[in-house]
Amino acid sequence: MIRRFGAALIGLALTMPLMALPVTANHGTVLVVTEFSTYVVGGATHVVGTITNNDDSRRTSINVTATFKAGTTVLETQSGPAYLTNLAPHATTPFHIIEPTPLVGHDSTEVTVTSTTTFSGPAGGLELNTVVLDGTTDTLTGNVKNEHATSAGSQVKVFAARLDGANVTDTAASTAVASLAAGASSPFSITFDAASTGSTVLVVAQTTSGTVLLTSWLNYFSDIGASAFPNEIAFMADEAITLGCGPAIYCPTQYVTREQMAAFLVRALGLTRTTTTDWFTDDDGRQLENEINTLRDHGITTGCTSAVLFCPTQTVTREQMAAFIDRGYALPTTTTDFFTDDETSFAEANINRMAAAGITTGCTSPTL
């Protein structure tokens, strides 16, 4: 079965400081250390804060170094990666550096950040900026901008999660922006429950209806990170192939259902309805019924156990996924038999074409 690739991104949020010490942030104009403070617990010195990518390119291999000083004397240095080491343009990530050795006379800390550039940000999407949380009124404000060349139509919403340490204390959404033309911006406001606490927020903007499907490339999702596929998830968010599974979350370890796979393929291939036929009887009234029918219009699916059933809530097997992708992308034929465990599979030819195209390398060679 196919999982929603990824793992915890910012599973650990900033720990509240117990004893503040001066911190100096040394950075250029690309990666900026924003919130930061230090505290001491059990003799270990902790430096926590956030880093913002001010560049228009994605930054990767982000490493944070804390230099602990007594006056001008360097006592110790400690380095480590930021929580999110694949940082989208204008995105923010927490960091947490721990120096386990007790520091005698420590009175200041200098923080430096290094990274490399991967690829530039997408040409389209929703951008969030000037996002500010007022802890007194429990209100989050900011602006959402449509970077896409087409109007976002109706129903652009901003979703946010508020965290206190590693705990989500509340989730909320803004009211819908009626229409957001290409290049236009709109302010938004989100009010959290008065009982919620925490100074860290995870924010994602998405279109929730209309023909143009967009998501923000600011923070992506709060639950991806320690994964072999962070760039793939980031790409899917960039291209609006996925909107996640809830406010600011992707659910990376959940299995993909057949109807979710239909939505992914329809968005990735840019497909639209070519008929008005209601092909299946078991998807009536489901949220993704249109995507399922669109997939059938284009011959990418023929149903499951019969021609009138799609089995929308069943999970997608690897062989089913191969058939969907092969049909959708019309992959070139091949005479090579790549795997030994698909000899009786209905999708053996699809699987081999997937392998020939470099889309799959199997699981444990030489099996799919």
Side-chain angles (χ1 to χ4, degrees):
M1 288 179 279
I2 311 304
R3 290 182 182 272
R4 298 174 69 90
F5 300 128
L9 169 62
I10 310 176
L12 301 174
L14 302 184
T15 307
M16 296 303 291
L18 302 180
M19 183 178 73
L21 291 171
V23 177
T24 301
N26 279 358
H27 51 69
T29 58
V30 175
L31 290 180
V32 177
V33 180
T34 47
E35 298 179 73
F36 46 81
S37 59
T38 66
Y39 62 94
V40 177
V41 175
T45 302
H46 299 246
V47 183
V48 295
T50 56
I51 299 164
T52 298
N53 176 15
N54 282 345
D55 196 23
D56 287 331
S57 296
R58 190 181 304 279
R59 311 300 298 188
T60 189
S61 304
I62 298 171
N63 194 69
V64 186
T65 300
T67 302
F68 302 95
K69 294 182 175 182
T72 58
T73 302
V74 175
L75 300 177
E76 191 67 61
T77 60
Q78 196 67 239
S79 298
Y83 288 156
L84 178 58
T85 58
N86 180 43
L87 197 57
H90 311 292
T92 297
T93 178
F95 68 87
H96 186 180
I97 301 296
I98 304 173
E99 168 51 53
T101 306
L103 301 174
V104 178
H106 170 223
D107 57 19
S108 66
T109 305
E110 182 178 284
V111 179
T112 56
V113 186
T114 59
S115 69
T116 59
T117 303
T118 55
F119 53 90
S120 298
L126 299 173
E127 179 181 348
L128 292 165
N129 49 61
T130 62
V131 178
V132 176
L133 173 64
D134 187 326
T136 302
T137 62
D138 302 301
T139 302
L140 185 73
T141 57
N143 287 281
V144 56
K145 181 180 180 181
N146 179 14
E147 297 281 3
H148 200 267
T150 306
S151 171
S154 60
Q155 304 302 308
V156 175
K157 283 190 175 184
V158 180
F159 300 89
R162 187 177 187 178
L163 289 83
D164 192 344
N167 301 311
V168 176
T169 60
D170 193 22
T171 59
S174 70
T175 57
V177 177
S179 182
L180 201 58
S185 297
S186 175
F188 70 86
S189 176
I190 295 174
T191 301
F192 291 112
D193 189 286
S196 66
T197 58
S199 59
T200 301
V201 291
L202 303 167
V203 191
V204 172
Q206 299 173 347
T207 52
T208 58
S209 69
T211 57
V212 179
L213 202 60
L214 300 174
T215 190
S216 61
W217 41 274
L218 178 71
N219 290 329
Y220 294 115
F221 309 109
S222 64
D223 58 349
I224 64 173
S227 165
F229 306 99
N231 286 329
E232 287 80 357
I233 297 173
F235 174 83
M236 287 178 68
D238 286 348
E239 298 298 319
I241 297 170
T242 181
L243 297 179
C245 62
I249 57 174
Y250 179 72
C251 304
T253 60
Q254 285 186 7
Y255 292 116
V256 173
T257 64
R258 287 172 58 86
E259 63 182 350
Q260 290 169 344
M261 190 70 187
F264 288 156
L265 285 170
V266 166
R267 296 166 189 169
L269 296 167
L271 303 178
T272 57
R273 292 299 311 269
T274 59
T275 76
T276 58
T277 305
D278 185 6
W279 293 99
F280 305 109
T281 60
D282 60 348
D283 64 349
D284 293 341
R286 299 195 65 81
Q287 183 178 1
L288 298 175
E289 181 180 6
N290 182 70
E291 284 81 354
I292 294 169
N293 280 317
T294 301
L295 211 64
R296 177 63 182 85
D297 279 352
H298 291 267
I300 298 172
T301 183
T302 55
C304 54
T305 57
S306 76
V308 295
L309 296 176
F310 182 73
C311 306
T313 61
Q314 286 187 7
T315 51
V316 182
T317 64
R318 290 173 65 86
E319 62 183 353
Q320 290 171 350
M321 179 196 67
F324 285 150
I325 292 177
D326 178 30
R327 294 167 189 162
Y329 286 92
L331 299 178
T333 59
T334 179
T335 58
T336 304
D337 186 5
F338 287 88
F339 306 109
T340 61
D341 62 343
D342 63 350
E343 304 307 316
T344 60
S345 171
F346 78 92
E348 183 180 11
N350 308 110
I351 293 167
N352 285 326
R353 284 193 282 270
M354 284 256 293
I359 299 173
T360 182
T361 56
C363 54
T364 304
S365 182
T367 60
L368 177 64

